[in-house]
Amino acid sequence: MGVNGNLVTVEFDESVCQNEVAYVIKDGLRLIAEVIRVRGRFADMQVFESTAGITVGDPVELTGELLSVELGPGLLATVYDGLQNPLDVIAARHGFFLPRGEQVEALPRDRAWAFTPRAAVGDRLRAGDTLGVVTEELFEHRIMVPFGVVGAASVVEIVGPGEHTVSDRIAVVADAAGKRRDVAMMQTWPVKRPIRCYAERLRPTEQLVTKMRVLDTFFPVAKGGTYCIPGPFGAGKTVLQQLTSRHADVDVVIVAACGERAGEVVETLREFPVLTDPRTGRSLMERTVIICNTSSMPVAAREASVYTAVTIAEYYRQMGLQVLLLADSTSRWAQALREVSGRLEEIPGEEAFPAYLESVIAAFYERAGCVRLNDGSMGSVTIGGTVSPAGGDFEEPVTQSTLKVVGAFHGLSRQRSDARRYPAIDPLESWSKYASIVPERELRVAREVLAKGHEVQEMMKVVEEEGTAMADFVLYLKAEYLDAVYLQQDAFDPVDGASSAARQRHVFARLARIMAAETDFPDKDTARAFFQTLTQVTKDWNRAAMESAEFGAVEARLESLLAEVARDA
Ligand code: ADP
Ligand code: MG
């Protein structure tokens, strides 16, 4: 046996398979590891914990199982580490950090859940079909035929309504060959294998409304789609993801918090429980699962965390729910891949990332999707990942590999965040392949104004205001206006902070008319003053609830302001 950082090479006699879980036994401790490469009679294993003290000759125990998570009621509202150890249990038992060699059960074994059967003896079901339900937080949590069951299975036994723990037997199913299998409310599933117990994968077409105007209107995301948020440090990636998890039109949010610094993950942990869910007025945590890891955790646990997160996301999708997985930041995950690859002495690709970086990233985002289940209900997993490229350089491999596979790109700009133009999404760099909630023709007008306004602004740096034609100057003012009242959004204002789809459609139609209006101004100062007033009034409008009398009154004011300057309104 050899030891190189977290990489341990072992010699074995029996058979070993790729990604199998093993334990290195050291001083009575069982250190969890995963087989990452098999070469002849040698296996390279990635140890998920500190390898300090491990020496040649220490025994290794192979489990024959792949790295798996526990799936069942009790996941919601929990904070886990990358190996699904619940942090609150660890904290209660051991203080903040899990001692080496300890594993904690992911789902509480002592909690009883009121099970209601939905299937009967003799029913023929398939993997992922519903046997019964329990109430978990706000949801009807489906207890399903284990995902590993192949072909049709018949229900041989099922318990009646009553209280059960996750490990109690609630049913017995027999597969096509007649082989019987006990079913509990909890099942385990290997994290690197997608859960595919659905009838059909659908194209993501339904909008996932985030209530952020710049996203829903300009750079939309679809349910079951993918998007990425690259941005330099401090540009607002984490804040943007928190806003999304709060307001997005989804049932369950899974957060994979991969810390750049431990402090950032702690921030997420501190903030989430106090955030309220606007839909229920209760804690957002009730429909959230957080998988966190910090750079102080071993590299392999960091690598595993995104898979743990996406597997839990797929599990809730299998219940017909809309799930949003937010990974922040995927760069830390990619760094973990780089470290592992380096230890294996693989031929490095660009910036020492493994040559297969692109395919690993693609395979992760591939697990997003909108599906039709066997019972006809629809579920979705939407994946949004932040990328934190060093120095904000989007040309680096992680950003580039991600851009090839995602459906939308929300690029954060340092310039915009420095100017406190939040959310700092760059309207000229970003894009989306999904359909907007507003009509394409209105969008075209607005995009053109933004692009041309920017050109004029660049030009004015050279020729100054005097050298700029009136028509160009007005374009610049219109772009600044649209930016101030629509792209920017005040996350702290109770009304402006979350803009419904209906409201965005209404407001954007009005703004599109302003963008398209031909205006007459005697001079530039008058034009500037006019747009200043318009900006103020529109900001008032943004703060007025759509149902209020004020909303209509301010809109009328906007109309009369425009009529004063429009050439032929
Ligand atoms: P990143 O994750 O990109 O490093 P953060 O999301 O932590 O950056 O944001 C850094 C800081 O910028 C926040 O602490 C906050 O002060 C400010 N900020 C970011 N986004 C917004 C926003 N939408 N509204 C107001 N302030 C914001
Ligand atoms: Mg951050």
Side-chain angles (χ1 to χ4, degrees):
M1 188 167 105
V3 182
N4 170 13
N6 275 76
L7 193 71
V8 170
T9 304
V10 301
E11 192 175 355
F12 58 91
D13 312 318
E14 315 117 63
S15 68
V16 165
C17 69
Q18 180 80 16
N19 298 114
E20 172 171 349
V21 171
Y23 292 94
V24 179
I25 315 294
K26 182 74 199 173
D27 303 331
L29 298 179
R30 289 156 52 80
L31 308 178
I32 186 166
E34 182 183 7
V35 174
I36 54 175
R37 184 168 64 187
V38 182
R39 292 174 299 175
R41 284 171 46 248
F42 295 93
D44 295 316
M45 299 186 336
Q46 184 73 36
V47 181
F48 291 101
E49 306 184 53
S50 159
T51 49
I54 296 182
T55 50
V56 173
D58 284 339
V60 171
E61 182 187 304
L62 291 157
T63 64
E65 285 172 9
L66 304 178
L67 184 67
S68 298
V69 284
E70 293 183 355
L71 301 171
L75 291 166
L76 291 181
T78 312
V79 180
Y80 291 110
D81 72 8
L83 298 177
Q84 216 196 5
N85 293 297
L87 293 188
D88 58 341
V89 177
I90 296 171
R93 280 192 211 162
H94 308 286
F96 197 65
F97 287 103
L98 188 63
R100 259 175 109 198
E102 284 278 335
Q103 281 95 37
V104 181
E105 282 154 348
L107 295 175
R109 296 296 195 270
D110 48 1
R111 179 163 175 191
W113 301 86
F115 175 78
T116 309
R118 286 283 165 82
V121 170
D123 282 358
R124 286 173 67 75
L125 301 173
R126 303 175 71 84
D129 289 352
T130 307
L131 285 165
V133 296
V134 303
T135 301
E136 181 189 22
E137 305 288 352
L138 301 163
F139 301 104
E140 190 168 78
H141 184 120
R142 296 186 189 174
I143 305 301
M144 298 171 273
V145 175
F147 304 149
V149 168
V150 182
S154 51
V155 180
V156 178
E157 271 179 56
I158 185 157
V159 297
E163 302 254 314
H164 294 279
T165 67
V166 292
S167 49
D168 290 348
R169 187 178 77 185
I170 52 100
V172 177
V173 297
D175 66 16
K179 195 168 156 265
R180 291 182 175 215
R181 175 170 179 164
D182 288 352
V183 178
M185 289 202 262
M186 181 193 99
Q187 60 175 312
T188 58
W189 187 257
V191 295
K192 290 188 182 164
R193 183 179 298 164
I195 298 170
R196 292 207 174 97
C197 306
Y198 43 77
E200 188 189 3
R201 246 177 111 91
L202 306 168
R203 263 167 50 87
T205 48
E206 194 190 327
Q207 260 241 324
L208 190 157
V209 176
T210 64
K211 300 199 170 173
M212 267 177 282
R213 292 184 291 253
V214 60
L215 300 187
D216 300 339
T217 299
F218 284 89
F219 310 110
V221 178
K223 285 181 182 156
T226 53
Y227 65 102
C228 89
I229 310 175
F233 181 76
K237 299 180 292 296
T238 303
V239 170
L240 191 60
Q241 287 216 331
Q242 279 185 3
L243 292 170
T244 315
S245 55
R246 199 163 169 199
H247 297 296
D249 168 28
V250 293
D251 301 307
V252 172
V253 179
I254 314 290
V255 179
C258 313
E260 331 214 335
R261 299 168 286 121
E264 284 181 330
V265 170
V266 172
E267 235 164 70
T268 301
L269 297 185
R270 199 182 305 125
E271 278 168 27
F272 256 86
V274 298
L275 292 177
T276 51
D277 180 349
R279 300 202 296 184
T280 60
R282 295 163 54 162
S283 167
L284 189 61
M285 245 347 252
E286 290 180 9
R287 58 185 183 94
T288 305
V289 183
I290 299 180
I291 314 297
C292 79
N293 64 80
T294 68
S295 39
S296 61
M297 291 181 185
V299 61
R302 280 187 272 148
E303 197 232 312
S305 65
V306 301
Y307 296 106
T308 297
V310 74
T311 306
I312 295 173
E314 288 172 340
Y315 177 62
Y316 281 99
R317 172 175 73 186
Q318 192 65 31
M319 298 175 205
L321 297 173
Q322 315 306 318
V323 186
L324 175 62
L325 165 61
L326 299 172
D328 180 26
S329 132
T330 60
S331 297
R332 302 309 129 190
W333 168 53
Q335 277 161 10
L337 289 172
R338 174 161 66 184
E339 277 180 59
V340 173
S341 169
R343 299 244 178 81
L344 287 171
E345 292 170 359
E346 290 171 339
I347 297 166
E350 216 182 317
E351 293 188 20
F353 283 107
Y356 49 79
L357 177 75
E358 213 173 290
S359 65
V360 174
I361 288 177
F364 168 63
Y365 283 100
E366 225 350 74
R367 292 179 71 167
C370 184
V371 302
R372 187 170 57 79
L373 301 169
N374 293 334
D375 70 356
S377 57
M378 311 282 188
S380 65
V381 169
T382 307
I383 301 183
T386 69
V387 188
S388 34
D393 168 23
F394 292 173
E395 294 309 312
E396 58 87 48
V398 183
T399 312
Q400 287 303 314
S401 304
T402 308
L403 283 185
K404 282 186 192 158
V405 296
V406 292
F409 164 64
H410 303 155
L412 296 187
S413 108
R414 161 72 65 217
Q415 233 178 341
R416 288 185 71 82
S417 69
D418 282 350
R420 306 193 63 77
R421 294 187 174 201
Y422 292 121
I425 292 168
D426 190 324
L428 301 174
E429 293 268 322
S430 303
W431 50 259
S432 168
K433 294 177 183 167
Y434 305 115
S436 171
I437 53 169
V438 304
E440 188 53 42
R441 107 197 97 74
E442 290 175 3
L443 206 51
R444 216 175 308 122
V445 176
R447 285 223 163 93
E448 204 175 293
V449 167
L450 288 173
K452 290 201 173 144
H454 178 74
E455 278 172 29
V456 175
Q457 186 179 21
E458 290 300 299
M459 200 179 66
M460 281 199 302
K461 284 180 186 162
V462 184
V463 300
E464 318 243 310
E465 221 174 279
E466 300 90 85
T468 308
M470 189 62 179
D472 283 347
F473 189 65
V474 168
L475 264 176
Y476 159 72
L477 291 175
K478 278 180 175 173
E480 285 292 292
Y481 165 72
L482 188 62
D483 187 344
V485 304
Y486 202 84
L487 299 182
Q488 294 169 48
Q489 195 169 346
D490 181 359
F492 301 106
D493 184 88
V495 175
D496 195 30
S499 187
S500 71
R503 183 180 181 122
Q504 290 185 47
R505 285 195 198 98
H506 183 91
V507 169
F508 198 69
R510 164 76 48 200
L511 296 191
R513 284 204 291 280
I514 296 176
M515 291 302 115
E518 301 272 345
T519 50
D520 264 332
F521 295 105
D523 52 58
K524 286 173 184 147
D525 285 342
T526 315
R528 186 185 294 104
F530 171 78
F531 278 99
Q532 265 165 11
T533 309
L534 204 62
T535 303
Q536 273 322 309
V537 176
T538 314
K539 282 187 170 174
D540 290 343
W541 199 31
N542 282 343
R543 285 189 287 263
M546 208 174 169
E547 310 75 39
S548 68
E550 203 197 338
F551 186 86
V554 181
E555 186 170 11
R557 171 106 206 276
L558 276 176
E559 187 136 23
S560 65
L561 275 171
L562 189 68
E564 283 168 27
V565 297
R567 210 167 283 162
D568 40 20

